[in-house]
Amino acid sequence: MRDLVLIGASGLAREVMAMRRVGTRVIGVLDDDTALHGHTIGGVEVFGGLELAAGLPGEFAVCVGAGAGRRRIVQRLASMGIGPERFPTLVDEAAHLSDNSLVGVGSIILAGCVLTADVVVGRHVVLMPNCTLTHDDIVDDYATFAAGVAVGGVARIGEAAYLGMNASVRQHVSIGAGATIGMGAVVLSDVPGGQTWAGVPARELGVRL
């Protein structure tokens, strides 16, 4: 049994605690909010701030919802000498991943997610419940999928992009790095990096239809 420390006293941390998984047990949480230190979240103690990580055994899962925030934490941990080998890939037993799909270190895949054929998911990606990625999709590091996102085949989701709940992405479409897709949006064309799109069909916010 491997010990797991969660970074961030968040709703995502509680969802990781509730995952059906084998081989790991959550022993504590780290969070820089001093008001939380010594308290519990989901029945697990918040030990203290992130500075304690270097002295702790076991593995880590970064449970911060925003991809850019996860990236900053991973970089901070790297400066303490905590490398990729300390980040397990966490997949709920109720998710379905094809044998020819790949998922990077530190990624979290919750119940009901489906990865069909030859899907590639990068490092520290979060897939909330019931997301569907179809054939040949590529998801770059630190992307975040809210619950119910569906992505057509041969799509590319850029680093630290955020896809809102129940958003849909057409096949062969690219979502740029750092882009945000609103809840329920239907994305039919490429989204440049850093932009926010919403609606059916999705358009950049602030652009008149």
Side-chain angles (χ1 to χ4, degrees):
M1 184 70 68
R2 299 171 298 167
D3 291 339
L4 182 65
V5 176
L6 307 184
I7 309 294
S10 61
L12 177 57
R14 289 170 32 234
E15 289 176 311
V16 169
M17 293 175 195
M19 288 176 71
R20 288 181 286 177
R21 64 188 189 282
V22 295
T24 61
R25 61 180 177 184
V26 177
I27 63 168
V29 178
L30 299 180
D31 196 293
D32 285 338
D33 185 350
T34 57
L36 298 174
H37 296 173
H39 295 278
T40 61
I41 173 175
V44 178
E45 182 180 357
V46 180
F47 292 150
L50 194 59
E51 72 278 357
L52 299 179
L56 292 175
E59 299 176 316
F60 297 92
V62 182
C63 298
V64 173
R70 292 197 300 277
R71 182 169 54 202
R72 286 193 296 271
I73 289 172
V74 171
Q75 291 169 346
R76 186 174 165 191
L77 291 171
S79 73
M80 302 178 192
I82 296 172
E85 71 282 356
R86 300 282 298 275
F87 298 103
T89 301
L90 300 177
V91 180
D92 194 290
E93 292 179 359
H96 174 77
L97 280 61
S98 65
D99 292 339
N100 54 10
S101 290
L102 301 175
V103 181
V105 298
S107 289
I108 298 169
I109 299 180
L110 296 182
C113 290
V114 176
L115 280 61
T116 62
D118 296 300
V119 175
V120 177
V121 173
R123 300 172 301 147
H124 300 284
V125 170
V126 171
L127 302 182
M128 299 301 284
N130 300 317
C131 292
T132 301
L133 280 70
T134 52
H135 68 90
D136 303 297
D137 287 339
I138 298 175
V139 180
D140 292 335
D141 301 344
Y142 304 104
T144 305
F145 289 47
V149 169
V151 182
V154 203
R156 181 72 178 257
I157 311 300
E159 182 170 327
Y162 177 86
L163 279 65
M165 187 165 52
N166 292 323
S168 300
V169 179
R170 186 179 184 176
Q171 67 269 23
H172 296 278
V173 163
S174 294
I175 307 294
T180 298
I181 306 301
M183 292 188 299
V186 176
V187 182
L188 302 179
S189 58
D190 292 349
V191 176
Q195 293 188 0
T196 297
W197 285 38
V200 180
R203 296 285 189 273
E204 183 184 3
L205 289 186
V207 176
R208 298 186 67 176
L209 302 181

